[in-house]
Amino acid sequence: SSFAALLLLSVLFAAACALSYALCRRRGDDPKAARVVLGTALAAGLIVRVVLAVSVRGFGVDMNCFEGWAERIFRNGFHFYDDWCDYPPGYILLLWPIGALRVLLNIGYDTPAPWLLIKAIPIVCDALIALLLADMSRKKLGRLGASWLGAAYFINPAVIFNAAVWGQVDCVLSLLLLLAMSYAVSRRWKSALSVFACAILIKPQALMFAPIGLLVLICEIVAAREKRAEALRQIGAGVGLMIGIVVAAALPFSLAQGRDPFSWLWSLYAGTLGEYNYITVNACNFYVLLGMNWRALGDAGAWTYIAWAAYAAAFGLAVWFYVKSGDRSTVFLLCAMVLSVIFAFGAKMHERYLYPAIALLLAAYAVDRDARILGTAIMLSASVFLNGALVLEDQWLMNSRVPS
């Protein structure tokens, strides 16, 4: 049954986390065993994802958009934004080959084949995140412990659900954020800022992490002292690359609209961020407990101000912790913390917005080897899974909307 499969995956996920923790204490370094563990998890996780992807269409609104947008970008090219779309051009460009395959191979609309094509992008990103986590944690956890950590991510029911069942692309954002932070920890500022530009082009939610990125850059410049000129040169080059990537991706679309890329991007992002003006949108957070799901911000009274203040509080905490630690490697944990606080108490949160914290917490564990972080990742994964399942089942959360 589906319940038995879910229970099995949950047990395997928790077991993989426990093995990663146990082996990091022993520093297991068996290369062959490490390859077997990660390879088996990737193979098994891929099979499960493919079966689910063709068995469950996913969240109707999102799948309708992705299937329609994939065909539209192929047929209309850079005139894609002649019609409505609230996604930035980065993910639309990724949908282009999906639309081309469906049209050229004459694959029927809304059938298991296009479902799998749409979900293939996040499924591949899931695998890349697992490999990245295994690679970045090898030094602290040992090869075997690192492989178990990557395996834990890939067989995590919340991760499988988001891409293969729901059909969303939050893992694409998670991959780019994780990669950008990894580069930042290594002081590879040009790479970090370039990848962050790609994250912004995939989902506007990446902008929530921009204040932390700015904090890291300012602290790096201040701490550089006699090497400050070199730090400024590297960071300046990175900022230039970031702007160049964003403009290059937007330019053909903006020209098709008869506008310059800067004003066009501003309008697109302002429009996207201006949607869903509710204090919470199906997010299992503080405001749902108060019976305020889909409550308009204008009707939420003082809670609206508290919700916006939560953003300031979250970023204030991040500044305090980062300055106190003085360690760039804490960026994974700080970003997970900020995201969790904003999700719990901030305005305009959707059910999936907490998702990137799963990968961030596992990366933070790889840095600190603190069992508390690993335990938090497990509990947060359960929360993310249940929140998404409640919405996809169209039961309690969707039916708890505040009447218009």
Side-chain angles (χ1 to χ4, degrees):
S1 69
S2 58
F3 176 76
L6 170 62
L7 182 62
L8 176 60
L9 282 172
S10 301
V11 170
L12 289 174
F13 166 60
C17 289
L19 282 168
S20 176
Y21 178 72
L23 289 169
C24 82
R25 300 297 169 181
R26 294 169 47 191
R27 291 303 303 272
D29 268 333
D30 186 341
K32 184 177 180 180
R35 288 194 295 269
V36 169
V37 166
L38 189 54
T40 302
L42 289 173
L46 180 60
I47 292 171
V48 170
R49 281 168 169 80
V50 171
V51 170
L52 289 173
V54 298
S55 302
V56 184
R57 184 178 187 240
F59 191 65
V61 175
D62 290 341
M63 290 299 290
N64 285 338
C65 287
F66 294 152
E67 289 189 63
W69 291 344
E71 180 173 347
R72 193 206 304 175
I73 184 61
F74 174 68
R75 294 189 183 279
N76 297 359
F78 295 121
H79 284 275
F80 172 86
Y81 285 96
D82 288 352
D83 294 313
W84 176 86
C85 176
D86 60 352
Y87 266 52
Y91 196 71
I92 301 305
L93 290 172
L94 292 181
L95 288 174
W96 198 325
I98 303 299
L101 281 173
R102 197 187 73 74
V103 173
L104 295 177
L105 298 179
N106 198 28
I107 298 173
Y109 182 81
D110 195 19
T111 60
W115 299 352
L116 181 59
L117 284 175
I118 292 295
K119 295 174 181 179
I121 297 172
I123 287 173
V124 169
C125 289
D126 279 346
L128 293 175
I129 292 174
L131 293 170
L132 179 58
L133 284 170
D135 180 69
M136 64 187 293
S137 60
R138 190 171 294 126
K139 183 177 180 181
K140 290 288 185 73
L141 306 185
R143 294 183 183 181
L144 196 52
S147 291
W148 276 111
L149 188 67
Y153 178 84
F154 201 62
I155 62 175
N156 185 332
V159 174
I160 295 173
F161 176 87
N162 186 270
V165 178
W166 186 294
Q168 251 296 336
V169 298
D170 300 289
C171 59
V172 184
L173 175 62
S174 297
L175 172 64
L176 294 172
L177 290 173
L178 197 62
L179 195 57
M181 292 176 200
S182 299
Y183 285 137
V185 170
S186 303
R187 284 197 176 101
R188 297 167 64 180
W189 303 115
K190 289 186 284 189
S191 298
L193 291 165
S194 297
V195 173
F196 186 67
C198 296
I200 295 171
L201 288 166
I202 293 295
K203 271 190 171 270
Q205 287 76 30
L207 292 170
M208 284 195 294
F209 300 92
I212 302 177
L214 181 62
L215 168 66
V216 172
L217 292 177
I218 291 173
C219 289
E220 179 67 18
I221 293 171
V222 171
R225 295 180 182 176
E226 65 273 6
K227 296 183 179 179
R228 188 165 297 159
E230 176 62 17
L232 285 169
R233 188 181 69 82
Q234 291 292 329
I235 292 171
V239 171
L241 283 170
M242 181 174 68
I243 295 172
I245 290 170
V246 171
V247 170
L251 185 61
F253 293 102
S254 66
L255 291 178
Q257 299 299 309
R259 301 179 61 180
D260 67 273
F262 299 100
S263 65
W264 180 77
L265 278 172
W266 180 268
S267 298
L268 177 65
Y269 280 83
T272 299
L273 296 173
E275 293 177 336
Y276 298 102
N277 288 311
Y278 305 96
I279 198 161
T280 185
V281 182
N282 296 331
C284 286
N285 60 13
F286 178 69
Y287 304 107
V288 163
L289 293 177
L290 298 179
M292 300 173 71
N293 193 28
W294 288 84
R295 173 74 58 84
L297 286 170
D299 298 330
W303 291 113
T304 298
Y305 301 102
I306 294 172
W308 288 120
Y311 284 82
F315 292 125
L317 277 173
V319 170
W320 186 78
F321 281 122
Y322 187 80
V323 172
K324 184 179 179 181
S325 71
D327 184 357
R328 288 187 311 281
S329 66
T330 60
V331 69
F332 302 108
L333 185 58
L334 287 180
C335 286
M337 178 201 72
V338 165
L339 186 57
S340 299
V341 171
I342 290 175
F343 182 84
F345 300 106
K348 304 180 68 168
M349 288 292 106
H350 292 226
E351 66 283 327
R352 303 176 333 276
Y353 284 7
L354 189 57
Y355 179 88
I358 298 173
L360 294 175
L361 283 171
L362 292 178
Y365 165 70
V367 171
D368 292 335
R369 296 197 303 174
D370 189 326
R372 294 171 297 180
I373 298 175
L374 196 58
T376 302
I378 294 173
M379 291 186 289
L380 186 137
S381 296
S383 174
V384 170
F385 175 83
L386 291 171
N387 200 159
L390 283 169
V391 177
L392 194 62
E393 284 293 320
D394 198 24
Q395 292 178 358
W396 184 79
L397 271 178
M398 296 296 283
N399 293 331
S400 71
R401 296 186 181 196
V402 173
S404 300

